Amino acid sequence: MLHTGRHFLQIPGPTNVPDRVLRAMDRPVIDHRGPEFARLGAEVLEKIRPVFQTTGPVVIYPSSGSGAWEAAIVNTFSPRDRVLMFETGHFSNLWREVALRMGLQVEYVAGNWRGGASPAEAEARLAEDKDGVIKAVMVVHNETSTGVTSRIAEIRRSIDRARHPALLMVDTISSLASMDYRHDEWGVDVTVGGSQKGLMLPPGLSFNAISEKALAANKDAKLPRYYWDWQEMLKPNRAGFFPYTPATNMLYGLREALLMLHEEGLPNVFRRHARYGEATRAAVRAWGLEIVCEDPAEYSNSLTAVFMPEGHNADRLREIILENFDLSLGNGLSKLAGKVFRIGHLGSFNDLMLAGTLSGIEMGLELAGVPHCAGGVAAALKCLVESKLVAVGN
Ligand SMILES: Cc1ncc(COP(=O)(O)O)c(C=O)c1O
């Protein structure tokens, strides 16, 4: 089928890259050891900090998010160190796998892929660990396979109540610059981020925001590292440089994306995503379909994962929607394959893009013969309009 107009990329990352960011990257490559690069490097290394709500250092890697997972681990632990992790879905499983391959012992709290990391469970496990054997609590903030957001501030309070010295490490790959996240205030020691979601960039950059406590742990950490070594990065970073060839043009894109986020203002970015989360869930409920996330306190504002009715395949629905409307939706990952589709509503995105996305899904449900009620789009539009009316005080 011949498609016209723009493709709708509504997977939960990579997200749509704004033209401004694309234009900013469309320039000749410069000498990464020269003065122009030093200015660019220094600027992005400084301006990325408020996005993590930190005043501390943020390291930028030329890698996908998985690299930043590995970096967080090899910089802070020694072989056979014990860590506490929570099964929230596909991505917590993968991060656990990284930890195991790096030689850590992982205490993995089982989950049903419909909820977030349990603060109560964290407190209980840490309170039992009188000798402080557990070196870190590691949580995926926004589980991209399920659309569930773990309550990091509450996890912090659990660690404090247990009076436990464990580090707190958080993966914000699909929440950063979309949902409120406070590295400093929540006492997070290492925050892992990626470029391709809320930051509105192509895939290819990843981040570690690092606390003082994590830097202290880094001094004793014995796991081997070279490419990911924070110290190797932080030294040249002071002058705006990198220890190896940086992703120069991605950094131009990052500079523009940070400017855009600054112009909009982070609180407005979070409010915008909250509206999209609300409106999308209103559509799903009106269709009579089931949201994967069970607890409204854990709803994700960057994506919504939706169960298919029994006997209907999510990949078939996604195929029909792609073929007919040039709209890409996220697939169900690992054990949710075929059972779930995911709607990405994050990044460079506006009300009409959401309306178009939900329209494509509603028409797709009809074409695919999936039992549903009409009126999902109407419910979402009502929700979007009502929140605008509230904003203008009507
Ligand atoms: C929450 C989360 N963590 C980690 C990753 C892995 O990142 P990447 O695919 O960029 O390596 C992803 C990717 O979607 C993710 O959503």
Side-chain angles (χ1 to χ4, degrees), residues 341-359:
F341 66 92
R342 294 172 301 144
I343 309 167
H345 35 78
L346 74 163
S348 174
F349 196 53
N350 63 31
D351 291 25
L352 295 188
M353 289 163 86
L354 180 64
T357 301
L358 297 173
S359 299

Side-chain angles (χ1 to χ4, degrees), residues 12-14 63-69 91-92 94-95 140-145 171-175 192-197 203-206 333 342:
S63 83
S64 86
S66 304
W69 266 347
F91 289 101
S92 72
L94 290 183
W95 202 12
V140 175
H141 181 213
N142 188 65
E143 177 52 72
T144 324
S145 60
D171 168 347
T172 63
I173 289 179
S174 61
S175 54
V192 171
S195 58
Q196 73 271 29
K197 306 200 191 233
L205 292 181
S206 69
L333 293 168
R342 294 172 301 144

Side-chain angles (χ1 to χ4, degrees), residues 118-136:
S118 157
E121 187 74 32
E123 186 172 344
R125 299 262 179 150
L126 293 174
E128 270 170 24
D129 180 37
K130 300 281 180 234
D131 299 331
V133 173
I134 295 172
K135 296 289 180 231

